[in-house]
Amino acid sequence: MSTSKPLHAPQTGFPVVDGCLQVGGIPLTRLAQRVGGTPFYAYDRGLVTQRVRQLRAQLPGALELHYSIKANPMPALVQHLAGLVDGLDVASGGELKVALDTGMAPARISFAGPGKSDAELRQAIAAGICVHAESEREIRATARLGAELGTAPRLVLRINPDFELKGSGMRMGGGAKQFGIDAEDAPRLLALAASLELDVLGFHIFSGSQSLKADAIVEAQAQTIALALRLADASSNPVRVLNIGGGFGIPYFPGEAPLDLAPIGAALDSALPRVRAALPQAQVSIELGRYLVGEAGVYVARVVDRKLSRGQVFLVTDGGLHHHLAASGNFGQVIRKNYPVAIGNRMTSDEREAVSVVGPLCTPLDLLAERMELPRAEPGDLVVVFQSGAYGLTASPGAFLGHPQAQEVLV
Ligand SMILES: *Cc1c(COP(=O)(O)O)cnc(C)c1O
């Protein structure tokens, strides 16, 4: 084995017994029988619970924790999370329905995302959830639909900050963006919102995603709080909601290390009392998606063919990019890198070889691992892709080539 190459962060969440990976305490081979076939996603509820507990232990008790459903909207998983977090963040009428079905109090559900339709806004207002307005049109439409429904809708202004989360995998704030109201335009739109029949609760400031750098997150949170305090000066209502975004990343690729929560917790410990002094009614929250669920999930596909082509071994599986676009490297990555991959029923085998793991689609993009050192595998063996609990099935082009959809289980 080459030692100079950067390695994936070790996968410690899933134990190995007799050479077989266990998910939710069930050997993977047995779980595949229980599911009834491959490919499938399996999410470990114990790992999700453990992740929320770790976060709560390291972050201030007064900080609310919200789950962003778009990371993984599987209803059973969202239901499990609803019992662990303080709120659910949705980004469509469909996610809204999943969130309401959990029984989470409507006031603890928020709806952000550009281009909300009148139909979606009407659903949100009728349910009593909080609309995070991304534009002047959304503010006016929310007030108009509220009047039709005979209620003053809960409204938060989503702000496009004048900074970004440095080194984040996906930039969603700063510069010109389709997300949120430009910070410099916020005072005008705050005045507009205050003049309409709306219950204006506060601000939502999201500056980026998938960051593994604690110092970058600390800096973005400090800038976020400073911006919120400036905006609060322009607000005629007391600020009751302050969502400071999220952006906590997980290690996907070789050389990446898990995020260190301690400095983030320490910085928030000192910042929150200052927020409380300035905005005594503000409930401060963070919103996390992949950090809560990404490491709790695996994608499992079966080897159907083992091919040798001009000296290279290809394991052809029954799963691929149509179920797991991100692992194939085609979900926003600039340079393709391998996700952590294993042969789930041969975890301790020491007969190893360099292989590429591909799917059944007629495109060279359908790649789950490229020239990776894995235990020698045969048809029937189970390929496991770790770090697959977020942006998996629902972030993939399931209809591409007409293969069966993958199943999902929560164990
Ligand atoms: C997608 C999204 C999130 C979740 O991002 P993760 O990287 O999965 O934590 C949080 N907030 C907003 C506004 C989002 O659009």
Side-chain angles (χ1 to χ4, degrees):
M1 197 164 123
S2 110
T3 49
S4 57
K5 277 202 226 154
L7 300 174
H8 283 108
Q11 291 298 323
T12 52
F14 302 95
V16 173
V17 179
D18 295 333
C20 190
L21 197 75
Q22 318 270 306
V23 181
I26 305 170
L28 199 64
T29 45
R30 174 55 52 124
L31 185 59
Q33 293 163 336
R34 194 186 104 161
V35 172
T38 52
F40 62 90
Y41 280 89
Y43 315 117
D44 185 326
R45 74 177 84 225
L47 290 180
V48 173
T49 304
Q50 190 184 317
R51 174 51 60 99
V52 172
R53 291 216 178 104
Q54 285 164 349
L55 266 170
R56 299 261 198 214
Q58 300 218 49
L59 299 178
L63 183 72
E64 285 201 353
L65 178 61
H66 290 205
Y67 174 55
S68 290
I69 289 187
K70 84 167 185 286
N72 191 325
M74 184 210 195
L77 181 64
V78 178
Q79 183 74 57
H80 180 64
L81 274 156
L84 299 170
V85 299
D86 306 302
L88 297 172
D89 295 342
V90 305
S92 71
E95 289 186 0
L96 176 51
K97 183 174 180 309
V98 173
L100 286 169
D101 281 349
T102 65
M104 175 68 77
R108 302 195 150 275
I109 302 175
S110 61
F111 183 5
K116 295 177 201 70
S117 68
D118 278 10
E120 287 174 314
L121 288 171
R122 199 176 287 111
Q123 274 179 275
I125 297 162
I129 75 160
C130 185
V131 174
H132 286 205
E134 311 252 352
S135 68
E136 179 170 346
R137 181 198 65 87
E138 288 192 354
I139 294 170
R140 291 188 186 277
T142 304
R144 171 174 48 80
L145 293 163
E148 278 174 32
L149 295 172
T151 174
R154 294 189 167 97
L155 187 103
V156 159
L157 293 195
R158 164 108 179 251
I159 304 296
N160 175 24
D162 41 12
F163 54 87
E164 59 192 16
L165 172 56
K166 289 189 188 124
S168 58
M170 227 171 261
R171 297 213 177 125
M172 294 183 63
K177 287 282 178 310
Q178 72 267 50
F179 308 111
I181 290 158
D182 291 345
E184 52 278 22
D185 210 15
R188 179 180 72 82
L189 292 183
L190 264 175
L192 169 70
S195 74
L196 300 170
E197 280 299 302
L198 294 166
D199 188 11
V200 182
L201 294 172
F203 306 107
H204 173 198
I205 305 173
F206 181 77
S207 56
S209 202
Q210 179 51 22
S211 175
L212 292 168
K213 297 196 174 73
D215 53 351
I217 292 175
V218 166
E219 188 189 325
Q221 287 179 340
Q223 290 177 294
T224 298
I225 289 169
L227 173 59
L229 295 180
R230 283 201 305 280
L231 294 175
D233 284 341
S235 176
S236 48
N237 292 54
V239 174
R240 282 160 289 158
V241 168
L242 176 54
N243 178 326
I244 61 169
F248 294 17
I250 61 171
Y252 289 105
F253 304 121
E256 291 184 343
L259 178 64
D260 183 7
L261 289 178
I264 300 171
L268 286 172
D269 271 334
S270 67
L272 289 196
R274 283 187 282 115
V275 175
R276 170 138 309 212
L279 311 173
Q281 296 188 42
Q283 188 52 252
V284 183
S285 57
I286 57 167
E287 49 179 356
L288 300 176
R290 76 188 77 219
Y291 194 79
L292 299 184
V293 295
E295 302 194 78
V298 292
Y299 174 62
V300 183
R302 200 177 290 279
V303 178
V304 293
D305 203 354
R306 179 195 158 83
K307 290 186 57 176
L308 195 62
S309 170
R310 304 207 166 114
Q312 280 189 49
V313 179
F314 289 84
L315 300 176
V316 186
T317 70
D318 58 4
L321 81 72
H322 52 313
H323 303 149
H324 203 333
L325 189 65
S328 78
N330 296 292
F331 190 57
Q333 295 95 329
V334 181
I335 303 167
R336 191 192 177 284
K337 293 180 192 146
N338 288 331
Y339 267 48
V341 168
I343 306 297
N345 57 313
R346 296 182 190 268
M347 294 298 289
T348 48
S349 159
D350 44 8
E351 193 190 343
R352 298 172 74 88
E353 62 181 3
V355 297
S356 290
V357 181
V358 302
L361 306 190
C362 277
T363 161
L365 300 178
D366 193 10
L367 195 55
L368 290 176
E370 187 172 23
R371 298 198 205 186
M372 199 178 197
E373 201 190 87
L374 289 174
R376 186 192 158 92
E378 298 290 341
D381 286 340
L382 296 172
V383 169
V384 174
V385 182
F386 294 105
Q387 308 296 78
S388 296
Y391 306 106
L393 191 59
T394 59
S396 302
F400 190 35
L401 271 102
H403 286 282
Q405 196 53 288
Q407 303 196 62
E408 291 181 289
V409 279
L410 176 67
V411 289

